[in-house]
Amino acid sequence: MTAEEFVRRLDTENQRLLGRLAPDDTLKPEVEGDLTVVNLLKVALKNEIEATEIAGRWLVATDDVEVKLAFARQVGDEAKHYRLIADRLRALGVDLGSFDPLAKGYGPLFTYLDSLKTTVERVAAGQFTREAIAVVKNRQFIEFCERAGDAETATLYRDVIEPDERYHHDLGRRLLLRLASTEDVQEAAARAARKTLELADELQRRVLATAGIHHAPGC
Ligand SMILES: [Fe+2]
Ligand SMILES: [Fe+2]
């Protein structure tokens, strides 16, 4: 099929699977302690630092200038999200002095993404799919913040973070339209996207006992 057809199909399939991520189920298993805005923002810090780093690794691993620039843009945005979320936590009275978002190591999604070897798989998994997941989860998080009476955090996500994540998803779409031109490449891209969604789904279902935090709002 053509790249256009492929991207349209992948998008439809992603959206179908994303529809299964039910709001509170999505948030609960990933958080340590009570389900509060503060605890979820700490999970978000881990996501943002992981998203910054994976895009940075991929930026230096490609010779394709358009791909380099897409990952560079993402590195900057994810680092900005980290700083904005940390600022918001401080405003909520949280001392981040000794907080290390990677204290328990990288999560399974980061490890999987880091194992991907081709640009098309990276773009399909890390931008097109992961950022689509981020948009859904952020929307759920905005609703959660509103229910919790935290309009300021909701506004930060609605006005700044979510539009950026949507842009990252669109960067992925544009690159796939150019890169996903053969059947082999399309198969690899679809596999990477599916695995990314599976990992997100698995995290959602996991009962958190010893696993620590993984990935939730914002990436
Ligand atoms: Fe992002
Ligand atoms: Fe982000």
Side-chain angles (χ1 to χ4, degrees):
M1 68 185 101
T2 65
E4 285 77 19
E5 279 166 347
F6 170 72
V7 172
R8 206 169 28 242
R9 276 198 199 185
L10 188 62
D11 202 15
T12 305
E13 177 66 4
N14 278 1
Q15 292 306 325
R16 188 179 68 77
L17 292 167
L18 277 169
R20 293 196 201 149
L21 299 179
D24 282 353
D25 289 356
T26 312
L27 296 173
K28 251 177 217 154
E30 300 165 26
V31 78
E32 225 170 355
D34 298 336
L35 197 59
T36 63
V37 170
V38 162
N39 285 338
L40 286 164
L41 286 176
K42 286 183 177 173
V43 177
L45 284 181
K46 176 167 179 156
N47 289 333
E48 299 293 356
I49 197 72
E50 286 190 346
T52 306
E53 182 164 339
I54 199 72
R57 290 185 185 194
W58 290 345
L59 153 64
V60 297
T62 177
D63 294 327
D64 183 318
V65 171
E66 194 191 358
V67 175
K68 258 188 203 300
L69 290 173
F71 287 138
R73 164 73 193 252
Q74 207 184 338
V75 169
D77 287 345
E78 310 299 10
K80 178 184 76 179
H81 299 163
Y82 187 99
R83 183 176 52 74
L84 290 169
I85 294 164
D87 288 348
R88 181 68 195 131
L89 277 165
R90 281 186 210 102
L92 289 167
V94 178
D95 176 10
L96 292 174
S98 61
F99 179 73
D100 174 4
L102 296 172
K104 290 186 176 172
Y106 295 98
L109 183 57
F110 180 93
T111 307
Y112 171 68
L113 293 175
D114 197 37
S115 76
L116 295 173
K117 292 286 176 275
T118 67
T119 296
V120 77
E121 289 169 296
R122 290 167 178 168
V123 168
Q127 288 192 320
F128 190 75
T129 302
R130 190 193 185 189
E131 298 293 328
I133 296 169
V135 167
V136 169
K137 291 197 166 200
N138 286 345
R139 244 186 261 138
Q140 294 169 354
F141 182 58
I142 289 165
E143 279 171 32
F144 178 85
C145 290
E146 280 168 346
R147 282 203 305 274
D150 188 340
E152 208 161 319
T153 303
T155 301
L156 168 64
Y157 269 81
R158 187 182 296 108
D159 293 354
V160 183
I161 296 177
E162 218 233 57
D164 283 347
E165 312 302 14
R166 195 179 296 279
Y167 187 76
H168 302 157
H169 168 75
D170 284 337
L171 284 172
R173 176 192 306 275
R174 264 179 270 164
L175 291 172
L176 282 180
L177 285 172
R178 174 162 65 86
L179 299 171
S181 52
T182 67
E183 206 170 309
D184 286 1
V185 159
Q186 289 172 1
E187 251 169 52
R191 223 175 11 248
R194 217 172 304 123
K195 181 71 184 168
T196 300
L197 279 160
E198 261 170 43
L199 283 167
D201 199 45
E202 217 174 277
L203 290 175
Q204 168 190 323
R205 286 164 207 283
R206 185 173 306 179
V207 179
L208 186 83
T210 55
I213 56 176
H214 291 298
H215 96 288
C219 70

